[in-house]
Amino acid sequence: MTADISKIRNIGISAHIDSGKTTLTERILYYTRRIHAVHDVKDGRGPTMDFMDLERERGITIQSAATYCFWKGHEINIIDTPGHVDFTIEVERALRVLDGGILVLCAVGGVQSQSITVDRQMKRYGVPRIAFINKCDRVGANPFKVVNQMREKLDPNAVLVQIPWGLEKEFRGVIDLITMKAYSFEGDLGDEVVEHEIPAEYVDLATEKREELLDVASLFSDELTEAILEERVTPELIHDAIRRGVLSYRMTPVFLGSAYKNRGIQPLLDGVIRYLPSPLDMPVTAYDLDNDEAEVKLHCNPSAALVMFAFKLEVSRFGQLTFCRIYQGSLRKGDTIVNMRTGQRVKVGRLGRMHAQEMEEIDEVGPGEIAVLFGIDCVSGDTFTDGSVRYVMSSMYVPSPVISLAINPRDRDSQVKVSKALNRFSKEDPTFRAYVDEETGETVICGMGELHLEVYIERMKREYGAEVETSPPQVAYRETITDRAEFDYTHKKQTGGAGQYGRVVGYMEPLEEGEYEFVNEIVGGAIPKEFIPSCDEGFKACLKKGALAGYPVVGVRVVLKDGAYHPVDSSDLAFRQAAIGAFREAYKKARPILLEPIMRVSVEVPSEYQGTVLGTLTQRRGAIVSAVDDGTYSVIEAEVPLAEMFGYATHLRSATQGKGEFTMEFLRYSPVPANIAEEIISRRQKEARARATA
C-alpha cells in the first residue's frame, strides 16, 4: 500500500489504431526500469503488454493490460488499451476507473476517427488528459498541423509545451517551452537526457510558441497573469497553471516525441506526475442503498469503510482474475467483502497486482490503487464493500452489439467446449453476447464488428480446442413504428370454472429516444393497480420479435388510458395476454418499418486513390461526410450501412494496392430503403416457412 496517495497516478494510454500506444508503454516501462530490455510490435517476442499470441501475430492490442512502475518517487498505474473500435469496451472500462489519460496521436495521421471516439470516452468519464504526438521521425510528420486539428476537433485549448528539434529523419529531440532549453536523448535507447541551449534557428519559433502557451495557461492562474505582466515568470508558476487547466478539463498540454526512436519519453513522464491528477484530486460519488440511493461522496481514506469497483474480469493461467479499483478504505488478504449486487459475502484468499501477464502477490492494497482478486464470482461493474455500508457505484457505458453470426460445433466434444468458452467470454466482455435462436436452435454470437467475432472464434479454437463452423455475419436490424395507433383489446376466455378477462385501451406512438416507454394514465381504477405491471410485461414481451420481419422492436411508447376488469375472472395472466393482443393489433396500424445500423467509416489512403475510394463507398450506399486531402494522404469520412460493409477490407486492399486502411464504428440506426426492406422481409418470411416445413 502506497503511503502517500498524492504520489499515485492512475493513467490510461489511448489512441487510434497504429498510433504507437503499446510501443510508448514499452518505453515507459523501460525508462522506469520496470523492464530491462525493449521488445517491439514487429519483433518475434512482441511487447510486454501484448502478451496474447493473437496480439503478437496480428500486431494489434486486443485486451487492455495493466502494469505499474515508479518515476521520481511517484507510483504510476498504467492500463494500455486497444485502438481498434471493435474492442472499444476495453477503453470504456479502463477510463471508468482511471484518474488521467495520455491521448496518443500520430504526427502524420493527426486526429483520426478513433482519436475522436477516445476523446468522447474521456469526456464521458471526466478524465483529464495530456497528449503525446508520436512518430515525429516519420516522413510527413507535422505536429503543428496535428495541434491545429486538436483545437478544431477535440479541445480549443490544446497547446504545445514543446516544439520539435528537427522533424522526419532529422528529428533529434525536443525544445521545452517552459525551461526554454533543448533536450536530446543519447545512448542506444535514449537513456541519457542531455540539455542544450536552444539552437539559434529555433529561438524565434520557440519564443512565439511560448507566448501561445502562456496565453492559454494564464487563463487558469491569476498568479501567472501577474507574473507575465511583471516579467517574473518562473517554470513553477507555469507548471501550476497547466495543472489547474488540466484538472478543470479545459486544457490539454501537448508533448512530442518518437517512442520507436526512444525520444521524448522522459519529459512525458515528468508531465504525467506534474499535470495529471492523483486520486485525491478526483471527486468520486457512490449511491447509498439504505438512503433511497442518495449520492454520497467517497473519501480517499485508508481507514474509511471499503468501497471498490470491479471493472474487468479475465481468465488467466492463475484462474479467474477480477480487476478492482479501490476508491475508499483498505483491503487485506483474508478480509471478507460483500458484493452489493448479489449480497454475497466472499473471503479474499489471494490479492495481487499485475504486470502484463505476470502477477505479484501482495498483502494489502489501499485507496487509489488497482488490484486483482482471485476466484471471485462477479460481473464487470459490481461494487464491493466491507459490509458496513451499502454503497453502489455507477456502472460503465456498454454499447450494443451490431453484428451477429451463427456458430455450429462440429462434434459433441466441441459443443461442451464452446459452451464453456461462451460462458467465459460473455462474463469477460459485456459487448460480446451469445444466445440460442429459438426457431433454428443455432447458437448465435453477437459483437461490435467482424474482427471482434473473428478473434473470439479463433480463441475458442486455441484456448479450448473447439472446432466450429460459422455462417455469414448477420446485421442486427431493428423494427420501429412511424405513426400513432389506437388499441382497444379485450382478452376473454372461458374454460369452465374461473375464466380470463382483461380489457386494455390506449395508444402506441413513436419514441424519439430510447427503446421503450410505458405510460400509465389510468385514473379511477378502471384497471386495478396490481394488474398494471402485468400490462407492462405483456407489451415488453412483444418487443422481442416484431411482426414485420421478426426483429426486435425499438422506439415505442405505449400509453394505457382505460380498461376494464372482472372481479372474479381478471388476473395477471389475463391482463398480460390482453396487452400482447393489443400490441399486435396496434403495431400493424402504426406503419412499422425496418431500421439498420449505420456505421461511421473513416478511410485513410494515398491521395491518388481518393477518387477510387469515394467510388467504393458510394457503391455501398455510403453518404460522404468529408474528404480532406493534404497533398500526400486523403482522409475520407462516410456514413455507410453495416450490411454493405462486409468484405470491404478485401475490396479496399485490392482497390488501393494494399495502401488503404479503414476503421468503422456504430453511429445510429436509420430506416432501410423501401426496396431493400422488401427483400429482407421476403427473405425472412421464406426462412420462416422453410423452418415450419422442415
Side-chain angles (χ1 to χ4, degrees):
M1 187 167 75
T2 303
D4 189 349
I5 299 169
S6 68
K7 291 192 173 180
I8 295 176
R9 299 290 183 272
N10 294 310
I11 66 167
I13 300 180
S14 305
H16 184 89
I17 191 168
D18 202 30
S19 294
K21 300 176 305 302
T22 303
T23 305
L24 173 61
T25 308
E26 188 82 357
R27 297 311 186 273
I28 287 173
L29 294 177
Y30 174 76
Y31 293 125
T32 58
R33 296 297 178 255
R34 195 73 180 81
I35 58 175
H36 303 289
V38 165
H39 297 280
D40 288 309
V41 172
K42 292 174 184 172
D43 71 26
R45 178 178 162 180
T48 305
M49 303 302 276
D50 282 355
F51 52 83
M52 284 175 65
D53 289 340
L54 271 171
E55 292 178 314
R56 290 178 174 175
E57 287 171 20
R58 292 171 180 262
I60 61 171
T61 302
I62 292 170
Q63 287 188 329
S64 58
T67 186
Y68 65 98
C69 56
F70 296 88
W71 182 255
K72 297 185 178 178
H74 289 69
E75 176 188 326
I76 304 176
N77 294 308
I78 301 172
I79 297 182
D80 176 32
T81 62
H84 200 289
V85 71
D86 281 18
F87 308 105
T88 191
I89 188 63
E90 295 288 337
V91 185
E92 289 283 348
R93 56 181 162 202
L95 293 176
R96 169 64 183 79
V97 298
L98 293 172
D99 301 320
I102 301 176
L103 178 63
V104 183
L105 300 151
C106 174
V108 181
V111 176
Q112 297 162 285
S113 58
Q114 189 66 2
S115 314
I116 297 169
T117 301
V118 168
D119 175 71
R120 190 167 62 244
Q121 289 169 319
M122 286 183 169
K123 287 173 179 170
R124 178 183 295 137
Y125 297 109
V127 177
R129 76 288 183 83
I130 60 179
F132 179 71
I133 299 178
N134 193 22
K135 303 190 178 184
C136 287
D137 61 307
R138 285 261 308 272
V139 174
N142 186 345
F144 302 108
K145 180 191 78 173
V146 178
V147 171
N148 288 334
Q149 290 177 344
M150 289 181 70
R151 289 170 182 161
E152 291 169 11
K153 299 178 180 179
L154 306 180
D155 183 349
N157 284 330
V159 62
L160 288 164
V161 292
Q162 302 166 338
I163 60 171
W165 182 359
L167 275 175
E168 300 181 348
K169 65 180 181 180
E170 303 296 327
F171 180 60
R172 185 177 172 188
V174 297
I175 296 168
D176 190 296
L177 301 177
I178 298 172
T179 61
M180 290 300 276
K181 298 285 183 183
Y183 296 92
S184 63
F185 304 88
E186 311 294 343
D188 291 341
L189 290 169
D191 293 85
E192 189 182 350
V193 182
V194 181
E195 183 180 296
H196 309 262
E197 293 302 316
I198 299 176
E201 64 270 27
Y202 286 96
V203 170
D204 289 346
L205 178 62
T207 304
E208 177 196 332
K209 295 300 179 183
R210 177 180 165 91
E211 291 299 319
E212 286 183 16
L213 171 62
L214 293 177
D215 282 348
V216 174
S218 63
L219 296 172
F220 309 103
S221 169
D222 292 339
E223 294 90 338
L224 178 60
T225 304
E226 289 177 16
I228 293 169
L229 294 172
E230 296 170 10
E231 297 186 354
R232 54 176 180 81
V233 175
T234 63
E236 289 70 28
L237 282 171
I238 303 174
H239 290 319
D240 179 64
I242 294 173
R243 179 175 171 81
R244 292 185 192 184
V246 170
L247 295 187
S248 67
Y249 315 111
R250 292 186 292 153
M251 181 178 178
T252 304
V254 182
F255 294 78
L256 308 173
S258 167
Y260 187 64
K261 292 292 179 67
N262 312 303
R263 290 167 196 159
I265 312 304
Q266 296 94 325
L268 176 67
L269 281 165
D270 290 339
V272 167
I273 62 176
R274 279 191 184 122
Y275 307 137
L276 290 181
S278 76
L280 295 172
D281 298 313
M282 300 301 290
V284 180
T285 58
Y287 301 95
D288 188 349
L289 296 177
D290 289 331
N291 190 20
D292 203 21
E293 296 192 6
E295 276 196 10
V296 287
K297 187 177 178 182
L298 299 183
H299 301 280
C300 216
N301 179 354
S303 57
L306 173 71
V307 180
M308 68 180 184
F309 183 79
F311 66 93
K312 176 178 164 71
L313 271 62
E314 182 183 305
V315 176
S316 73
R317 57 199 175 95
F318 305 107
Q320 181 176 300
L321 303 180
T322 302
F323 288 73
C324 293
R325 162 75 190 265
I326 290 81
Y327 284 97
Q328 178 176 285
S330 303
L331 180 65
R332 298 167 189 83
K333 194 158 65 171
D335 283 356
T336 298
I337 56 176
V338 182
N339 185 328
M340 288 292 103
R341 179 179 59 85
T342 64
Q344 185 180 6
R345 301 179 74 84
V346 185
K347 187 171 182 178
V348 179
R350 295 172 71 192
L351 197 57
R353 301 183 73 182
M354 297 304 292
H355 169 52
Q357 63 179 337
E358 301 300 323
M359 192 272 302
E360 172 194 321
E361 293 218 32
I362 54 177
D363 294 322
E364 184 178 3
V365 64
E369 296 196 276
I370 292 169
V372 291
L373 311 181
F374 291 78
I376 303 294
D377 184 28
C378 65
V379 298
S380 293
D382 280 353
T383 303
F384 289 92
T385 73
D386 57 10
S388 64
V389 293
R390 294 185 66 239
Y391 294 168
V392 292
M393 304 194 71
S394 60
S395 192
M396 66 195 85
Y397 170 74
V398 179
S400 297
V402 295
I403 187 173
S404 65
L405 58 82
I407 59 171
N408 294 300
R410 288 186 182 164
D411 50 49
R412 186 175 291 276
D413 186 41
S414 288
Q415 196 166 359
V416 175
K417 293 173 180 175
V418 165
S419 178
K420 287 180 181 176
L422 295 180
N423 184 47
R424 170 190 159 187
F425 296 155
S426 299
K427 286 183 79 173
E428 285 184 5
D429 182 351
T431 61
F432 176 83
R433 297 174 196 171
Y435 67 92
V436 175
D437 189 298
E438 294 175 6
E439 292 182 356
T440 64
E442 291 179 315
T443 300
V444 179
I445 58 174
C446 312
M448 301 305 295
E450 285 180 278
L451 178 62
H452 192 207
L453 298 184
E454 190 182 309
V455 163
Y456 276 115
I457 289 165
E458 188 63 30
R459 288 182 65 189
M460 283 180 210
K461 293 176 183 174
R462 294 190 184 199
E463 297 172 27
Y464 288 88
E467 291 297 324
V468 298
E469 295 172 345
T470 62
S471 65
Q474 299 294 314
V475 177
Y477 290 105
R478 296 286 185 266
E479 296 183 21
T480 192
I481 58 173
T482 58
D483 207 353
R484 172 170 160 155
E486 311 279 339
F487 59 80
D488 183 346
Y489 189 87
T490 303
H491 175 70
K492 195 172 183 181
K493 198 171 183 182
Q494 198 69 41
T495 54
Q500 291 181 23
Y501 181 86
R503 180 181 170 223
V504 290
V505 181
Y507 62 90
M508 66 165 64
E509 63 182 1
L511 177 65
E512 284 188 16
E513 294 202 7
E515 296 190 356
Y516 167 74
E517 184 181 329
F518 174 72
V519 181
N520 175 26
E521 292 187 355
I522 287 183
V523 291
I527 299 176
K529 285 183 181 177
E530 61 266 27
F531 296 138
I532 299 297
S534 299
C535 298
D536 186 17
E537 284 174 19
F539 291 127
K540 271 185 194 168
C542 297
L543 300 176
K544 293 177 183 175
K545 192 172 285 190
L548 195 59
Y551 290 109
V553 179
V554 297
V556 175
R557 177 189 285 114
V558 177
V559 180
L560 191 60
K561 295 184 70 71
D562 200 1
Y565 75 102
H566 187 279
V568 176
D569 292 348
S570 288
S571 64
D572 285 322
L573 177 61
F575 274 101
R576 190 175 188 276
Q577 292 301 119
I580 290 172
F583 189 98
R584 289 173 178 165
E585 177 187 88
Y587 189 71
K588 293 172 186 173
K589 298 186 288 184
R591 291 171 50 213
I593 59 168
L594 274 186
L595 300 175
E596 63 181 345
I598 304 295
M599 311 301 284
R600 179 191 285 115
V601 178
S602 176
V603 185
E604 294 179 29
V605 66
S607 295
E608 64 263 33
Y609 295 106
Q610 187 191 67
T612 304
V613 170
L614 289 170
T616 66
L617 292 170
T618 52
Q619 286 166 11
R620 293 169 182 261
R621 296 197 282 129
I624 307 301
V625 176
S626 66
V628 180
D629 188 343
D630 67 1
T632 57
Y633 249 73
S634 287
V635 179
I636 301 161
E637 302 273 347
E639 296 176 4
V640 191
L642 175 62
E644 304 291 340
M645 288 302 293
F646 296 135
Y648 186 65
T650 306
H651 189 175
L652 180 65
R653 276 196 296 269
S654 63
T656 61
Q657 297 181 3
K659 296 175 184 175
E661 59 180 45
F662 81 99
T663 58
M664 70 175 182
E665 64 176 315
F666 173 72
L667 182 63
R668 64 176 183 274
Y669 271 95
S670 286
V672 179
N675 59 325
I676 297 172
E678 285 174 17
E679 288 177 20
I680 295 168
I681 294 166
S682 174
R683 187 179 69 241
R684 294 281 286 187
Q685 288 170 348
K686 283 179 186 174
E687 289 170 0
R689 284 196 295 270
R691 284 194 297 269
T693 56

